[in-house]
């Protein structure tokens, strides 16, 4: 596991090169944000996490399996892109579950700070569907930008507006 790195992974580099090539600018692994997101886009107030399917348990289902001691333990079942090793399975199940819980905690913290979170999975960046995934990422970014930067319409007050020549009773300074 010493050869596994958390930064500059191949899937992350694919997303970064595509975004940069299409004119999107970003920062990497911002230390002041919770979870140090892989890609931070300040103009969009968006953090992009590029997750490996195995390490973050993509599409795995948690099921209750009774243990021999009688307690109800929770087991992770394999998915297409996340195969749990058969050796030392308890360790890997616990590790993946901790990673999922930490991911959810980080996303909630970012949301409470007003940041959007987008997760791109490693299996979504395979050559057959890569372009579709990255186009949907850009669509989401543009939608976020338009929602956050939309022009607020001015609403007229319910009262009839006063004309400039009318006296306003609260501001009348002449003594009576």
């Amino acid at each position: 596991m010493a050869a596994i790195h958390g930064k500059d992974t191949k899937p992350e580099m694919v997303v970064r090169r595509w975004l940069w090539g299409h004119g999107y600018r970003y920062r990497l692994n911002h230390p002041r944000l919770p979870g140090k997101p892989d890609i931070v886009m300040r103009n969009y107030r968006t953090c992009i996490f590029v997750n490996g399917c195995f390490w973050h348990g993509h599409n795995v289902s948690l099921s209750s399996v009774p243990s021999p001691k009688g307690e109800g333990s929770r087991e992770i079942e394999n998915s297409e892109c996340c195969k749990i090793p058969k050796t030392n399975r308890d360790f890997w199940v616990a590790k993946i579950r901790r990673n999922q819980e930490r991911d959810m905690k980080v996303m909630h913290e970012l949301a409470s700070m007003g940041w959007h979170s987008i997760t791109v999975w490693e299996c979504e960046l395979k050559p057959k569907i890569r372009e579709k995934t990255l186009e949907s990422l850009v669509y989401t970014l543009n939608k976020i930008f338009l929602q956050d930067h939309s022009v607020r319409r001015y609403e007229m007050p319910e009262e009839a507006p006063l004309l400039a020549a009318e006296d306003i009773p609260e501001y009348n300074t002449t003594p009576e």
Side-chain angles (χ1 to χ4, degrees):
M1 285 188 5
I4 306 297
H5 298 285
K7 297 179 183 178
D8 300 332
T9 61
K10 287 181 184 180
E12 183 182 338
M13 294 302 289
V14 166
V15 174
R16 285 169 34 187
R17 283 187 189 117
W18 199 90
L19 286 172
W20 192 268
H22 285 79
Y24 292 92
R25 300 301 178 243
Y26 51 82
R27 297 289 175 253
L28 300 177
N29 307 100
H30 198 289
R32 293 186 185 160
L33 291 175
K36 294 183 183 178
D38 298 323
I39 300 170
V40 177
M41 303 182 87
R42 291 182 187 169
N43 292 344
Y44 298 85
R45 287 195 63 82
T46 301
C47 299
I48 300 173
F49 294 94
V50 183
N51 289 345
C53 293
F54 172 74
W55 298 105
H56 296 269
H58 184 221
N59 285 339
V60 294
S61 60
L62 293 170
S63 61
S64 288
V65 177
S67 67
K69 296 179 182 177
E71 308 112 17
S73 66
R74 294 179 61 87
E75 184 67 30
I76 292 182
E77 295 179 13
N78 292 332
S79 69
E80 289 181 23
C81 57
C82 179
K83 307 273 191 259
I84 309 297
K86 292 180 181 175
T87 58
N88 206 5
R89 189 167 177 85
D90 293 336
F91 168 78
W92 289 111
V93 167
K95 180 169 185 59
I96 291 170
R97 186 174 299 120
R98 284 192 313 267
N99 288 348
Q100 289 175 335
E101 290 169 358
R102 186 187 64 238
D103 291 344
M104 289 305 296
K105 179 183 172 203
V106 165
M107 286 187 189
H108 286 297
E109 289 175 7
L110 287 169
S112 68
M113 294 170 63
W115 286 80
H116 303 278
S117 297
I118 299 174
T119 302
V120 179
W121 293 97
E122 178 183 15
C123 65
E124 295 173 342
L125 295 173
K126 291 185 179 178
K128 290 182 180 178
I129 58 172
R130 179 180 299 163
E131 195 68 27
K132 181 180 175 184
T133 301
L134 296 172
E135 289 292 336
S136 68
L137 173 65
V138 169
Y139 176 80
T140 305
L141 286 172
N142 289 334
K143 188 173 181 181
I144 288 170
F145 185 81
L146 291 174
Q147 284 176 349
D148 289 350
H149 295 89
S150 64
V151 176
R152 308 287 192 277
R153 289 191 59 158
Y154 176 74
E155 295 181 17
M156 297 294 290
E158 292 182 16
E159 302 173 357
L162 297 174
L163 298 175
E166 292 183 42
D167 286 336
I168 302 173
E170 300 102 37
Y171 299 108
N172 193 354
T173 57
T174 56
E176 292 181 16

